[in-house]
Amino acid sequence: MDIRENLSRIGEELEKELHDLDALQALENLKVRVLGKKGSLTALLRGMGQLSPEERPKAGQLINEAREKMTRLLEDKQKELAEREKEARLKKEAIDVTEPRDLPLIGCVHPMNLVLNQVLDCFTSMGFDVAEGPEVELDHYNFELLNIPKNHPARDAQDTFYIDDNTVLRTHTSPVQARTMLSRKPPIRIVCPGRVFRADEVDATHSPVFHQIEGLVIDKDVTMGDLKGTLDAFAKRLYGPDIEVRFRPSFFPFTEPSAEVDLTCFNCHGKGCRVCKGTGWIEVLGCGMVNPKVLSMCGIDPDVYSGFAFGIGLERITMLRYGIQDMRLLYEGDLRFLRQFR
Ligand code: PHE
């Protein structure tokens, strides 16, 4: 019977094509070609009209069975292909979170900021506040309230950049002492980091722009012992318990008595070398008991209150901390230098 032959031909072709098929769209096309309105199987159904009434039921049964089988085959293939395509997509979209990649270039904290942060941590943990003041400063705060009147020889020690007769680039952070005493009531405990300016040469240990951290404590019964203890704690916190601290008598118009403080040289550890000019010590700060004259000029009664002040050179203590022998490295922004502090 020719319907049988046709059916098995269509069935074989379908199975062969299904076997080679690997995309859902192609499957859809095949389905249309066989089962669609103009499909080969549909054509067979239509052809049934030419059969005799006796042949028709049998033929119809055969065609329907074939149709069901083909539909099942197509559906199975469809499931298989859909599964395969999903797997391929998941594979393609998968992200290996462990794969190493190029990190974007991120900066690092400058060594002076590293040290500054440590210094501020140290003093704030002792109860100090952080204060700030202007870089362009009035002569009044930079000098006069600090007991350095006009034409006083102490002005020569700080080669000043003048903006006009009454305005300077601050030569130290000490004007913040005066500003703080005028604006706050004791007890006062502040540290003030900032940029300062002096008409200096540029060399391995000097720059016309550098940084200081001012400290000021005013209260009843503050003594030189408190000053020494505070600075000793500071030195040990930054450099460890083995660092030695040396106080040398000195002079500043705004402190009395005054001292300069040295720490053991980072390079030779006290033996004496080029860095410390053979002394074994490196000067890092000036300090003293606030001059009673400064207290009264700033509105604090020296009969009731006393206090101490210090001015730390940030470049110096940074160089000491990391064994940096040339201050200019701190300003040049050379990445080979800076990256060492990552
Ligand atoms: N201002 C002084 C200087 O720049 C340092 C200092 C600060 C000294 C506070 C005593 C007290 O040299």
Side-chain angles (χ1 to χ4, degrees):
M1 190 182 182
D2 135 52
I3 284 217
R4 276 218 173 103
E5 261 165 46
N6 276 334
L7 280 177
S8 67
R9 186 179 42 79
I10 294 174
E12 270 166 33
E13 272 174 23
L14 180 81
E15 281 185 50
K16 189 170 159 288
E17 283 201 50
L18 273 180
H19 181 78
D20 297 340
L21 224 153
D22 64 357
L24 279 172
Q25 187 54 51
L27 180 82
E28 198 53 40
N29 295 342
L30 176 61
K31 190 171 165 185
V32 171
R33 263 191 289 128
V34 180
L35 305 178
K37 265 192 202 139
K38 293 178 182 158
S40 44
L41 201 75
T42 318
L44 274 187
L45 266 176
R46 290 226 176 92
M48 274 175 50
Q50 277 142 35
L51 296 176
S52 65
E54 305 85 69
E55 284 172 319
R56 255 180 242 164
K58 184 67 189 163
Q61 191 195 343
L62 284 173
I63 295 175
N64 277 333
E65 275 169 15
R67 191 186 172 87
E68 266 165 42
K69 186 177 167 210
M70 289 179 196
T71 306
R72 223 179 316 114
L73 285 175
L74 283 161
E75 274 171 9
D76 289 351
K77 187 71 181 184
Q78 190 193 3
K79 272 190 208 134
E80 183 195 319
L81 284 181
E83 190 61 29
R84 233 197 281 162
E85 284 191 9
K86 186 171 118 197
E87 246 154 53
R89 203 183 62 231
L90 287 179
K91 216 180 207 169
K92 206 175 96 213
E93 290 173 357
I95 296 169
D96 179 1
V97 291
T98 67
E99 189 178 339
R101 62 186 194 102
D102 292 338
L103 288 171
L105 192 62
I106 45 171
C108 49
V109 181
H110 192 279
M112 277 205 284
N113 285 102
L114 288 173
V115 171
L116 175 60
N117 289 342
Q118 281 178 19
V119 174
L120 294 182
D121 271 356
C122 166
F123 284 107
T124 51
S125 73
M126 289 195 260
F128 288 64
D129 291 334
V130 178
E132 274 185 272
E135 293 174 352
V136 177
E137 184 57 286
L138 291 171
D139 185 292
H140 185 61
Y141 295 105
N142 195 81
F143 292 123
E144 280 177 44
L145 285 177
L146 296 173
N147 197 28
I148 316 174
K150 286 216 159 80
N151 304 317
H152 190 282
R155 288 200 180 203
D156 296 344
Q158 305 188 349
D159 294 310
T160 310
F161 289 114
Y162 278 89
I163 305 274
D164 59 37
D165 280 356
N166 298 315
T167 321
V168 301
L169 295 183
R170 66 177 175 195
T171 57
H172 49 181
T173 41
S174 298
V176 182
Q177 284 186 39
R179 288 178 171 275
T180 307
M181 285 187 268
L182 286 166
S183 65
R184 290 203 198 182
K185 289 205 157 28
I188 293 170
R189 278 194 293 272
I190 56 125
V191 274
C192 163
R195 227 174 350 178
V196 301
F197 308 84
R198 289 184 201 176
D200 255 334
E201 297 295 316
V202 176
D203 63 28
T205 52
H206 293 88
S207 157
V209 184
F210 58 105
H211 300 78
Q212 291 187 331
I213 304 155
E214 194 78 10
L216 175 71
V217 170
I218 309 278
D219 203 346
K220 288 176 181 153
D221 306 320
V222 176
T223 69
M224 190 97 186
D226 297 316
L227 170 61
K228 285 195 76 173
T230 305
L231 292 179
D232 207 57
F234 152 76
K236 300 240 149 69
R237 173 91 170 251
L238 248 83
Y239 299 100
D242 294 335
I243 193 82
E244 279 188 61
V245 186
R246 177 173 89 167
F247 286 71
R248 262 183 302 110
S250 185
F251 173 79
F252 299 101
F254 37 94
T255 48
E256 182 57 37
S258 303
E260 274 170 331
V261 173
D262 304 331
L263 301 182
T264 18
C265 173
F266 63 84
N267 195 43
C268 63
H269 304 283
K271 284 203 256 351
C273 68
R274 268 204 5 247
V275 177
C276 57
K277 300 193 182 79
T279 63
W281 298 96
I282 291 186
E283 184 200 324
V284 295
L285 65 89
C287 64
M289 302 306 292
V290 180
N291 193 321
K293 232 174 131 184
V294 171
L295 289 177
S296 30
M297 277 192 284
C298 294
I300 288 173
D301 184 350
D303 292 330
V304 181
Y305 292 103
S306 58
F308 63 77
F310 54 85
I312 305 170
L314 181 55
E315 279 78 355
R316 286 283 174 84
I317 62 169
T318 304
M319 291 165 77
L320 208 58
R321 179 78 171 68
Y322 294 113
I324 300 164
Q325 302 205 11
D326 193 323
M327 192 161 149
R328 288 167 287 196
L329 286 166
L330 296 173
Y331 307 126
E332 282 165 351
D334 188 329
L335 291 179
R336 291 168 302 179
F337 171 74
L338 295 175
R339 281 191 180 133
Q340 298 177 69
F341 299 93
R342 252 223 278 267

